[in-house]
Amino acid sequence: MKKWNEVERAAVIGSGVMGAAIAGQLANAGISCLLLDMIPPALTAEEEKAGLSLEDFRVRNRLARSAVERLKRSNPASLYVEAFAERITPGNTTDHMADLQRVDWIIEAVTERLDIKRAVLEAVERQWQEGTLVSTNTSGISVDLMLEGRTEAFKGSFVGTHFFNPPRYMHLVELIPGTDTKTETLAQAREWCERRLGKGVVVAKDTPNFIANRIGTYGLLMTLKEMERLGLSIEEVDTLTGPVMGRPKSATFRTLDLVGLDTFQHVANNVAEQVQCDEERAAFQLPAWFQEMVQRGWIGEKSGQGFYRKERTGASADPIRAVRWSDWSYEPRKPVKSASLEQAKRAKGTEAKLQAILKLSDAHAQFVWNVLKHVLCYSAAKLGEIADDIRAIDKAMRWGFNWELGPFEYWDAIGVRASVERMEREGTTVPSWVTDWLAAGHEQFYERRPERLFHVSRGEWKLVETDPELVSLRECKEQGKTITRNSGASLIDIGDDVACLEFHSPNNAIGEDILSMIQKSVDIVSRDYRGMVIANEGRNFCVGANIMLLLAEAQAEEWDEIDLIIRQFQNTMMKLKALNRPVVAAPHQMTLGGGVEACLPADMILFSAETYFGLVETGVGLIPGGGGCKEIALRLSKRFPHPEDDVTQPLLRAFETIAMAKVSGSGHDVERLGYMSPQDRVLIPSARRVFEARQAVLSLDAAGYWRTAADAGKPTIRAAGREGRAVLQLAVSSMLEGRYISEHDAKIACKLARVLTGGDVPANRLVSEAYMLDLEREAFLSLCGELKTQQRMQHMLSKGKPLRN
């Protein structure tokens, strides 16, 4: 059977929203994909006008071809870069089914109807070749039922693959083996999804809605019913079921508006129709007012209104209205306040927030407790039915619904024994295995012993097996492998004589603590280690420098202090760059401003596929001051080393990228912005980034890596000079005259142009890195003194978005 890195071709049957998006993710992973759909029954007006017939291939492939075009324009983007759409070949299920004989993986993704899926799989089997993996993307239809009538060999190579929507961004794939699925088929599907597509995989039982949608739907229904019982508003519930409970900001009703109320109704009805227990069937009945909204067509964002509706208002007014089903009106959102909510907001972290809110007894605290206890007990009751172990359930909810904690992790966080005692006092039925576990003297479902994690399984502790090719910084620290640390960063031994520099300041913003740790780490690694990885496990790699500190110093007119801060940043990055050991940076998610400048000195950057990378300082009225401009000029100089090289267009692109604060749409998209070097690469399974970065360090070291200091300080950057600056300033003048930018934008851009081109020197003059850093620092300091720049910094800190003044 083929390994994950041997998969070359796949086919997706069904070019609807999910089918096309799955094809897009296969293309993202470098897999050539055939996308098939039915032949349209009639011509469109445009096709008739063009003189086409139903026999023309452009008509016959229209559905799949249109799906690929939609994929290119989707928002959020389904493709890492639009060019990856070229890896998808549109076709139809009449002319191209024989092509299934030449693929490695067939994914059926047609509409969620059992009869249609059975018919498609019957046609697939006629072309299927032994050894080809076949899967179905379904959110709740039984795998065994759709395989009725298929051969034993086909059934053995078949598995359910429930991708969560949108497939590019949602980490979870539930694998659902059928009764006859071979063990090796399940293992192969898991490896392909994890290693090639970068997904988090859990194995689910073939039960209605599987794991995540079963528990998530139940939890949403309990939320609706508790809201109704306690008389809470839409705003109150969304305030309570978002970050306060460790859930996404979209909380309950914004999420339902995005998903679609009709879609959620279908999912809930699917469980209600299939479960055998009357009590459980009743739990999945939607409230009458919810069904009324669906009947009215108020089904969410796709219809223009659902629980929320956006209306035109004055510039200062909140345009969002929330529904009131007492009279089916939409009213402005009201502020939500309570003692328990204030307590929760002051607490740090999900565990502390829950503990804070559950200590009180007002309506908000009661709501949170009631919803939580129902979800915990239901999850425990379904153990063994929907999944074999608690970790699968916890992972499914974290990866599929973006919860901070899974149900059993929530239970540990609030205290299992105390919460069960409260449930029993209130007459809530707690699954017997939970009470038995407590009676046996246990206090939690997970237990960490030195270097190992255990979880409860069938009434006893079971070791959590870990993948030796995954490196967890958290586990390394728990095992006492921290070499040194301060409040902002740590240096950790990650094995094989490689150390990892981890940022862990608030938002991983770079301040004096991180800079000092970088300098200390360089000294330690130079003496004791083979190389260094720069990576962390935060939500984002690094959102930039600490602009709150910069603003405070600027407002106090402490220019010497700002000069000292920037010098320290620049000197630190130069010391990192001069380290005589290989350095590999492994950024992920938001990597902005100073975060980019912390990566650029590395010998190699290993981008996670979801890396949003860019020098964005102009958004707060500044230019890159920690070496970002210098590094871009250096890269241009290396690409165009000869005086006769025409660098005009590349220089303009680099200037526009920084001046317009452009950010990559993915790790692959970094290349378009000019920040990627030939040795850099992109990694799709982000969970492997520390391991893969360590391996890259070892590879560089084994190749005989050595950095010499002989050329340090020598002029190595070929400046574009005054002539190049004139070209950039002409572009700025055109933008200003066309009113595309403000006067302050133009001032920032002109200073950036001067730095990128090397100041007041003639074209092709060789200048040193130190010279370029002086130019950066001078421009940065001057902009800090501008009132409009300070206003931009203040606006970003208070509003979280740039101000154009």
Side-chain angles (χ1 to χ4, degrees):
M1 301 182 80
K2 288 193 173 183
K3 304 291 287 182
W4 65 273
N5 56 353
E6 297 172 332
V7 182
E8 297 179 356
R9 296 174 296 276
V12 176
I13 303 174
S15 66
V17 172
M18 280 303 295
I22 292 170
Q25 189 59 22
L26 294 170
N28 284 336
I31 299 172
S32 297
C33 186
L34 180 65
L35 182 61
L36 304 182
D37 211 318
M38 61 184 288
I39 294 175
L43 296 172
T44 64
E46 291 79 7
E47 289 167 342
E48 288 182 351
K49 187 176 180 180
L52 302 180
S53 72
L54 289 174
E55 298 306 311
D56 192 290
F57 78 94
R58 288 169 291 181
V59 176
R60 297 172 77 82
N61 298 343
R62 184 217 306 153
L63 296 181
R65 186 166 46 82
S66 298
V68 174
E69 291 303 313
R70 288 195 302 273
L71 207 59
K72 295 178 184 178
R73 303 189 300 271
S74 61
N75 186 21
S78 297
L79 299 168
Y80 293 149
V81 293
E82 187 178 312
F84 287 178
E86 298 302 316
R87 296 171 178 170
I88 305 173
T89 302
N92 66 75
T93 52
T94 299
D95 302 327
H96 302 109
M97 289 296 281
D99 292 340
L100 300 183
Q101 299 175 24
R102 294 183 290 277
V103 303
D104 304 309
W105 186 4
I106 302 168
I107 303 176
E108 171 273 305
V110 300
T111 190
E112 287 282 87
R113 271 181 48 184
L114 181 59
D115 58 335
I116 296 177
K117 286 184 177 288
R118 281 176 173 169
V120 169
L121 293 177
E122 181 180 3
V124 167
E125 187 173 9
R126 287 197 289 269
Q127 306 297 333
W128 173 73
Q129 301 293 299
E130 190 91 28
T132 301
L133 177 67
V134 188
S135 68
T136 175
N137 183 69
T138 176
S139 59
I141 296 178
S142 167
V143 170
D144 280 342
L145 286 177
M146 70 175 73
L147 284 174
E148 286 186 3
R150 306 281 53 79
T151 64
E152 292 304 309
F154 187 81
K155 291 178 181 179
S157 296
F158 190 90
V159 67
T161 47
H162 179 206
F163 288 82
F164 273 62
N165 190 29
R168 170 181 165 180
Y169 300 96
M170 295 303 293
H171 191 52
L172 178 63
V173 171
E174 292 176 323
L175 292 184
I176 308 97
T179 302
D180 299 306
T181 301
K182 294 177 183 176
T183 302
E184 55 266 35
T185 297
L186 183 63
Q188 183 184 54
R190 179 168 209 145
E191 182 188 59
W192 290 9
C193 289
E194 288 179 341
R195 296 296 301 275
R196 192 62 181 269
L197 303 185
K199 296 302 176 186
V201 172
V202 298
V203 178
K205 300 290 190 72
D206 191 10
T207 55
N209 287 22
F210 313 128
I211 300 175
N213 277 346
R214 182 76 167 267
I215 292 174
T217 301
Y218 179 87
L220 281 167
L221 285 163
M222 291 304 104
T223 300
L224 301 181
K225 291 173 182 179
E226 284 299 317
M227 176 187 75
E228 189 175 24
R229 190 178 70 82
L230 292 170
L232 302 184
S233 67
I234 298 293
E235 303 94 304
E236 287 177 296
V237 171
D238 267 359
T239 302
L240 294 166
T241 57
V244 167
M245 288 184 69
R247 310 282 176 80
K249 290 182 179 179
S250 56
T252 296
F253 295 109
R254 177 62 179 148
T255 297
L256 285 170
D257 275 353
L258 290 169
V259 169
L261 278 67
D262 55 337
T263 301
F264 180 71
Q265 183 183 54
H266 170 76
V267 172
N269 289 343
N270 186 55
V271 180
E273 290 166 3
Q274 295 188 57
V275 296
Q276 303 301 313
C277 172
D278 290 341
E279 184 179 353
E280 187 174 7
R281 188 179 298 111
F284 280 87
Q285 296 297 322
L286 286 158
W289 52 263
F290 189 102
Q291 298 183 58
E292 171 69 17
M293 289 185 69
V294 174
Q295 290 172 3
R296 286 172 173 258
W298 298 358
I299 56 175
E301 195 167 87
K302 57 189 173 184
S303 69
Q305 66 187 89
F307 290 104
Y308 293 107
R309 184 173 72 191
K310 190 173 183 178
E311 297 182 359
R312 293 182 179 178
T313 62
S316 60
D318 182 0
I320 306 300
R321 301 287 185 264
V323 73
R324 310 289 184 227
W325 51 80
S326 56
D327 60 1
W328 299 110
S329 64
Y330 283 87
E331 296 181 3
R333 292 182 293 186
K334 297 177 181 177
V336 179
K337 294 182 179 180
S338 70
S340 59
L341 187 57
E342 292 307 309
Q343 286 281 86
K345 286 181 176 179
R346 283 196 290 268
K348 301 295 183 184
T350 297
E351 183 174 334
K353 288 180 184 295
L354 284 173
Q355 291 173 349
I357 201 168
L358 295 180
K359 286 178 181 177
L360 301 181
S361 58
D362 59 25
H364 288 169
Q366 190 65 43
F367 169 82
V368 171
W369 165 249
N370 287 347
V371 170
L372 195 58
K373 75 175 181 180
H374 286 308
V375 171
L376 300 185
C377 288
Y378 186 75
S379 300
K382 294 296 114 181
L383 182 64
E385 178 185 336
I386 63 174
D388 279 330
D389 68 75
I390 66 170
R391 293 181 65 244
I393 294 175
D394 281 345
K395 286 180 178 179
M397 299 317 298
R398 283 193 277 109
W399 294 342
F401 276 71
N402 291 322
W403 291 5
E404 290 286 338
L405 302 171
F408 297 96
E409 293 165 328
Y410 271 119
W411 220 330
D412 276 357
I414 64 174
V416 181
R417 187 174 298 278
S419 61
V420 166
E421 289 173 353
R422 180 175 174 181
M423 291 173 190
E424 291 180 329
R425 287 197 305 270
E426 295 172 353
T428 302
T429 301
V430 179
S432 59
W433 74 263
V434 175
T435 55
D436 291 345
W437 182 245
L438 289 171
H442 303 291
E443 299 295 329
Q444 53 201 40
F445 297 120
Y446 291 92
E447 181 175 277
R448 185 166 292 281
R449 304 170 193 173
E451 300 188 14
R452 294 192 169 192
L453 178 66
F454 293 80
H455 74 282
V456 58
S457 178
R458 294 178 172 84
E460 59 184 22
W461 289 116
K462 181 180 179 181
L463 176 66
V464 173
E465 296 180 0
T466 56
D467 183 343
E469 292 194 355
L470 292 179
V471 177
S472 165
L473 297 180
R474 179 177 60 81
E475 290 180 5
C476 286
K477 290 186 286 187
E478 289 171 350
Q479 294 166 15
K481 295 182 179 179
T482 300
I483 302 163
T484 185
R485 75 180 304 280
N486 64 19
S487 60
S490 296
L491 187 67
I492 305 161
D493 188 328
I494 57 174
D496 292 327
D497 294 326
V498 178
C500 179
L501 176 66
E502 176 200 36
F503 302 162
H504 47 66
S505 67
N507 294 317
N508 287 344
I510 296 178
E512 190 279 331
D513 48 3
I514 288 181
L515 294 175
S516 64
M517 183 53 63
I518 293 174
Q519 298 219 21
K520 188 174 184 180
S521 297
V522 168
D523 293 336
I524 293 171
V525 171
S526 177
R527 184 180 65 242
D528 300 329
Y529 288 86
R530 296 170 67 181
M532 183 165 71
V533 167
I534 304 175
N536 63 69
E537 295 171 339
R539 185 178 300 242
N540 298 300
F541 176 79
C542 178
V543 297
N546 187 340
I547 62 171
M548 183 180 294
L549 174 62
L550 279 173
L551 178 61
E553 299 289 4
Q555 290 175 333
E557 299 185 357
E558 295 287 351
W559 311 122
D560 288 343
E561 279 297 315
I562 295 177
D563 182 71
L564 184 62
I565 290 169
I566 303 309
R567 283 180 187 274
Q568 184 186 14
F569 202 130
Q570 292 179 340
N571 292 340
T572 299
M573 295 306 117
M574 289 299 288
K575 184 171 183 176
L576 176 63
K577 187 172 183 177
L579 175 61
N580 61 350
R581 297 286 187 271
V583 177
V584 176
H588 68 285
Q589 294 293 322
M590 302 300 289
T591 305
L592 307 175
V596 172
E597 291 174 313
C599 292
L600 293 178
D603 299 290
M604 173 182 173
I605 305 177
L606 183 63
F607 296 96
S608 291
E610 299 299 344
T611 304
Y612 314 117
F613 196 86
L615 294 167
V616 296
E617 286 84 352
T618 59
V620 289
L622 299 167
I623 68 162
C629 296
K630 178 264 297 180
E631 284 294 321
I632 296 305
L634 179 61
R635 289 172 186 228
L636 281 172
S637 184
K638 286 180 178 178
R639 283 177 58 201
F640 303 95
H642 304 295
E644 62 271 20
D645 290 336
D646 185 4
V647 74
T648 304
Q649 289 306 314
L651 177 64
L652 266 171
R653 283 196 296 271
F655 171 68
E656 289 174 0
T657 295
I658 301 174
M660 298 175 69
K662 292 182 180 180
V663 176
S664 71
S666 68
H668 287 281
D669 192 43
V670 174
E671 185 174 13
R672 176 182 62 87
L673 297 186
Y675 295 128
M676 188 177 285
S677 294
Q679 70 274 15
D680 299 338
R681 61 189 180 92
V682 180
L683 178 70
I684 291 183
S686 183
R688 298 177 58 84
R689 63 183 179 274
V690 178
F691 171 81
E692 295 291 352
R694 184 183 71 186
Q695 297 310 105
V697 166
L698 294 174
S699 179
L700 288 168
D701 178 64
Y705 180 91
W706 185 256
R707 185 188 295 275
T708 177
D711 294 328
K714 290 185 178 180
T716 56
I717 300 173
R718 187 173 298 281
R722 291 186 289 267
E723 293 85 345
R725 193 170 85 206
V727 173
L728 301 186
Q729 288 181 327
L730 179 61
V732 174
S733 297
S734 298
M735 294 285 284
L736 184 62
E737 288 176 11
R739 298 185 178 180
Y740 295 109
I741 60 175
S742 68
E743 292 280 356
H744 194 53
D745 289 327
K747 178 177 287 188
I748 298 165
C750 286
K751 289 182 181 292
L752 174 63
R754 183 174 189 275
V755 173
L756 279 178
T757 55
D760 296 318
V761 297
N764 294 313
R765 171 73 59 84
L766 289 176
V767 298
S768 68
E769 292 185 61
Y771 170 82
M772 294 293 288
L773 289 174
D774 287 343
L775 291 178
E776 272 191 30
R777 193 172 61 257
E778 176 190 342
F780 192 97
L781 273 167
S782 67
L783 286 168
C784 282
E786 296 282 345
L787 176 61
K788 289 187 175 181
T789 286
Q790 293 176 20
Q791 289 171 345
R792 289 190 180 195
M793 286 194 279
Q794 183 67 59
H795 192 270
M796 180 62 74
L797 288 169
S798 60
K799 303 294 185 181
K801 55 186 178 181
L803 170 69
R804 303 310 300 267
N805 57 354

